[in-house]
Amino acid sequence: MDLRIVAFNLIARDATLRTLLANYARRLESDGTPDERTASCFVSLRWTVDERSSAPAGSELLTLQVHAPRDDSCSLAELDRVLQRLRTALTTVGPNPCLSARCLTTSGAVPDSRFGTVVRTSTWRITPVSTEARAAAPTGLVPWSVWSGPGGCGLLVPGVGVLSLN
């Protein structure tokens, strides 16, 4: 399993986040031309292998940068809303979770002169969830015996009586 693809798909399921990722791609394609510098918010992703000795095996670090226009009075609130959406996308657990996401740090808002934006950075540890079958607790069975009395067919359960099989 590729953690990067799984995490990206979790983020891209959210239509707003998908749009913000596309905004970043458009920014890179335009190479910062003036008409694109005033575009709305965007999100960028950067992956690195988590090489710390305390890191779980196979874990990677995902650095998310959320950018908003510097001259917009609502930029800081927008950054917070986007970071909350990213948190929800990465930590919502489905029926068969294959990764675990934990936020390690989130920065304050700082200006980014490259894009003319204000940016907040959040670093996440993405870890694979073990797919090994967990040992199930032994099932406690009720002692029983087949009732073999004349004309009867059933189970004799101590404390309950006879359970009919018909």
Side-chain angles (χ1 to χ4, degrees):
M1 164 193 59
D2 188 337
L3 286 178
R4 295 176 184 200
I5 292 173
V6 174
F8 180 83
N9 286 337
L10 289 172
I11 294 168
R13 285 190 312 187
D14 182 297
T16 300
L17 297 177
R18 189 171 51 245
T19 299
L20 297 177
L21 288 167
N23 287 351
Y24 178 62
R26 281 193 288 279
R27 283 270 181 142
L28 293 177
E29 287 175 356
S30 69
D31 200 28
T33 58
D35 57 329
E36 287 297 320
R37 291 182 65 88
T38 59
S40 64
C41 196
F42 64 92
V43 172
S44 67
L45 308 175
R46 186 178 73 239
W47 287 94
T48 55
V49 174
D50 192 352
E51 296 177 347
R52 293 176 291 180
S53 61
S54 63
S59 66
E60 298 202 33
L61 296 175
L62 171 60
T63 304
L64 303 157
Q65 287 192 321
V66 181
H67 294 256
R70 192 179 338 177
D71 54 355
D72 186 351
S73 62
C74 298
S75 290
L76 296 178
E78 184 66 20
L79 291 173
D80 290 337
R81 281 191 295 275
V82 172
L83 283 173
Q84 184 56 45
R85 290 184 89 97
L86 286 163
R87 176 179 299 280
T88 300
L90 288 171
T91 60
T92 300
V93 177
N96 286 324
C98 55
L99 65 79
S100 169
R102 180 173 167 246
C103 184
L104 301 177
T105 63
T106 300
S107 74
V110 295
D112 183 342
S113 59
R114 177 179 174 208
F115 294 112
T117 60
V118 61
V119 61
R120 285 190 70 188
T121 303
S122 185
T123 303
W124 289 74
R125 177 185 290 149
I126 309 295
T127 308
V129 172
S130 175
T131 56
E132 295 175 6
R134 293 186 179 104
T139 305
L141 299 175
V142 176
W144 63 276
S145 60
V146 175
W147 184 39
S148 59
C153 179
L155 298 177
L156 180 61
V157 180
V160 175
V162 176
L163 297 178
S164 175
L165 295 178
N166 293 330

